[in-house]
Amino acid sequence: MEQQSTSPAMAALKSGVTIGLVMLVISFLIYFIDYSLLVAAWYGFAVFVLFFGLVIYFGIQYRKEIGGFMPYGPAFQFAFVTLIVSGLISTLGNIVLYQLIDPGLSELLVKVQLENMLAMLDNFGAGDNISSDQINEMRTEMEDAFTFAGQIKGFGVSLIIYAIFSLILGAIIKKRDKSTDF
């Protein structure tokens, strides 16, 4: 029974819930402060760094709890389950925000996101090369990403990304017991 309570998946479940709730609180705080920050590039980067930093932190804490050493397989499993659980909580929170709390928010975010993208393209000198049809296509794709189906689809794509990042995070979290080398 003791072994199961400290398995990588069980530890990751607890860590994933914690990280997911932290990310959810941050998203709602940013929404209440200034909704346009939700699509700001610096905010996305900061959340990315915090998200993966917390996975590494909790992974190292778990490794210490189990004796200071963890092979790559359990480290990968820990990272992957943590990312899935926290991503699921964040996705459900975003669905609640965009569909129930403020259904008009997605329209405002698409407008801000499109303005940011066009400004960036103008800075690179490519803004004049974008046709109105291309702008409308970008707007439609952005709007679709905020729908319920778009959020679920986004989480599905995230699973693939989580698997790739878990390979990297597992390598960071693992620690081999060199005293067993002959």
Side-chain angles (χ1 to χ4, degrees), residues 3 18 42-43 54 56 58 73 90 102 117 129 151 161:
Q3 182 68 16
T18 302
W42 68 266
Y43 171 73
L54 286 172
I56 292 169
F58 284 117
S90 294
D102 192 349
M117 185 181 293
N129 298 334
Q151 293 282 317
I161 295 167

Side-chain angles (χ1 to χ4, degrees), residues 41-143:
W42 68 266
Y43 171 73
F45 181 73
V47 166
F48 177 81
V49 169
L50 179 64
F51 188 62
F52 291 109
L54 286 172
V55 173
I56 292 169
Y57 171 77
F58 284 117
I60 291 171
Q61 291 301 110
Y62 171 64
R63 184 181 74 202
K64 288 178 182 175
E65 287 175 22
I66 62 170
F69 301 103
M70 183 168 32
Y72 180 76
F76 168 80
Q77 182 184 11
F78 176 88
F80 192 52
V81 172
T82 300
L83 291 174
I84 290 172
V85 171
S86 58
L88 183 61
I89 291 170
S90 294
T91 299
L92 292 174
N94 286 335
I95 289 171
V96 169
L97 177 62
Y98 300 135
Q99 307 304 316
L100 301 175
I101 295 174
D102 192 349
L105 178 63
S106 59
E107 186 178 316
L108 297 171
L109 291 177
V110 166
K111 181 181 176 196
V112 171
Q113 194 173 13
L114 196 57
E115 288 170 0
N116 291 345
M117 185 181 293
L118 291 175
M120 184 178 68
L121 289 171
D122 282 339
N123 287 339
F124 289 119
D128 295 334
N129 298 334
I130 304 292
S131 71
S132 61
D133 289 340
Q134 290 171 320
I135 293 172
N136 288 334
E137 185 178 324
M138 286 189 286
R139 178 181 289 116
T140 301
E141 288 176 12
M142 290 176 190
E143 289 170 349

Side-chain angles (χ1 to χ4, degrees), residues 141-161:
E141 288 176 12
M142 290 176 190
E143 289 170 349
D144 289 346
F146 288 105
T147 64
F148 179 80
Q151 293 282 317
I152 299 300
K153 181 179 165 186
F155 179 71
V157 171
S158 294
L159 290 175
I160 297 166
I161 295 167

